[in-house]
Amino acid sequence: MDFATECLQAHNEYRKKHGVPPLKLNKEICKVSQQWADHLIRKGAMVHSNNKDYGENLFMMQSSNPNFTVSGGEAVDKWYDEIKLHVFGVEPASLASGHFTQVIWKESKELGVAFAKNGGKVIVVANYYPPGNYVGNFAKNVPPPGGVLLSCHNNNNNAAEITGNLNRLSLGSRGSTKDLHSATEGNFEEDFLEAHNNYRKRHGVPPLELDKSISKVAEEWAKYLASKNKLEHRPQSNYGENIYCLYSSDSNFKINGNTPVDSWYEEIKNHAFSREPSDLKSGHFTQVIWKSSKYVGVGVAKSREGSIYVVANYSPAGNFVGHFQENCPPVKPQFYGIELPSKTVGNSSISSPSPVSAGVPNKNEEIDVMAFEQEVLKVHNEYRRKHGVPDLVLNAELCGFTQNWAETCARTSSLQHRANNKYGENIFCMYSSDYSHVPTGRDAVKEWYDEIKSHNFSSDRVPQGSLHFTQVIWKNSKYLGVGIAKNKKGQTYVVCNYEPKGNFVGQFAENVPKPRS
């Protein structure tokens, strides 16, 4: 069996496990894959082609034996092994399982695969059409083994059209949902409302009020969705509506009031504030901050299968065509504590550098955010001077962006990177049973820099064990954003963002020089 056919067979065996259609081999796509594989073997590097027409998986294996080779299934096995990193039924916070999800992506139909060899080094390139791994589409395209499809984060919003007649049976009589206490933690409604109003404050729009009568309507629909175990909008609703679904195989899993709102607000990255949107890819976000909306109601239900459904209804409804610009203002500069003229750095529009702190006001009064930012900047530059690279400059707007993610990490007790981040990012977490304890800026930066002990300066391969260190001293990075936030569990999260970002394949040698003697 030739390599491409064997690789195709391995893909389709895995796809069958998940109940998605088999791929077909495309000779033209195989040629594209071969060209890139040949390029990579000549360069001796592993970097994606950034071909927007296809999804792409890469694999490399090397041996001191010049006759070493790999089978068509070995690369696919390695990609599929990332299943252990994937949480089904939710949008991933990172692409740690991105090779796996592309292998079984339901909407991909054709495969092109090739390999190139130089001595004992083998590189495999697979291209997929249509490409996979699109934000907002993971739940419906990456079903768990067995093919049970759990839809989450539906990108359609209030304008969604529901076809067919829906079952009008009494929702309370179905007996298919679990008690609400088994699905939520904390004071869910209060946390849910507070999360909305914290985000609305950033955009300078009035806070919402919780309306119990609207919550009853939302809960009714949440129970209906749980009874059907599917995600769809209520037809002909008088309210604006956001829906969220989360699945866990842990029967004791619960959801807090912040999680769905954080997820909806993350769509801000899809929103263009300067014009009316041509689609509703940011529809959840825009409804969260819709200026004219005054009341919100929320309902939660848990299905027998373990899916938690959250429904939010808003009055007056938002997302009306022709009214986005007046109802969805951008983040207010004064929210970050300072107004700065905007300028372009690289591909990003950020504010002019300033030594003044622009961190988001922190709820933890014991943290002096301004002093902390300055200390983190100082320690970064101490280390960078050891390596003879230019100092970083603290940037106000970037600090606000970074503080946002530090607060998200603290609120969710989760040490994870921001998805689709255009900046470089380092994250640090410290726990203390003394809940008043605050780590110093040096604590965080030193932990990242100490990875120098694992770094090989003579190699230009991606140094998986020292990527925090390399970002700290990355020569081409110029601007720094700092964020810090605590939670009630005694955890403190520190986040740093860097512009331009570092840690690019093939650029380590020129950007990570050895310490000067």
Side-chain angles (χ1 to χ4, degrees), residues 7-8 11 15 23-37 40 47-59 79 102-103 108-115 124-132:
C7 191
L8 175 68
H11 273 86
R15 291 173 68 86
L23 298 173
K24 294 181 179 179
L25 205 62
N26 183 302
K27 292 183 178 180
E28 293 303 315
I29 304 178
C30 284
K31 291 179 182 179
V32 173
S33 300
Q34 188 66 61
Q35 290 172 354
W36 192 245
L40 295 180
V47 59
H48 283 283
S49 64
N50 294 321
N51 188 328
K52 296 181 180 179
D53 294 330
Y54 306 113
E56 186 175 73
N57 277 346
L58 304 180
F59 170 84
W79 296 329
Q102 177 60 88
V103 166
S108 293
K109 298 179 180 179
E110 296 179 302
L111 172 71
V113 64
F115 77 98
V124 179
V125 177
N127 280 303
Y128 305 80
Y129 182 82

Side-chain angles (χ1 to χ4, degrees), residues 392-431:
L392 296 173
V393 178
L394 200 65
N395 179 270
E397 190 169 342
L398 190 54
C399 282
F401 177 86
T402 308
Q403 181 67 30
N404 169 269
W405 191 246
E407 290 180 355
T408 298
C409 291
R411 187 165 55 246
T412 59
S413 297
S414 177
L415 192 68
Q416 62 181 9
H417 286 284
R418 187 193 293 258
N420 303 314
N421 195 349
K422 60 186 177 183
Y423 304 112
E425 186 172 76
N426 278 344
I427 306 181
F428 166 90
C429 177
M430 178 177 284
Y431 165 79

Side-chain angles (χ1 to χ4, degrees), residues 379-393:
V379 179
H380 268 86
N381 289 336
E382 287 176 2
Y383 286 130
R384 290 173 68 88
R385 289 166 195 161
K386 286 185 178 182
H387 295 259
V389 300
D391 285 0
L392 296 173
V393 178

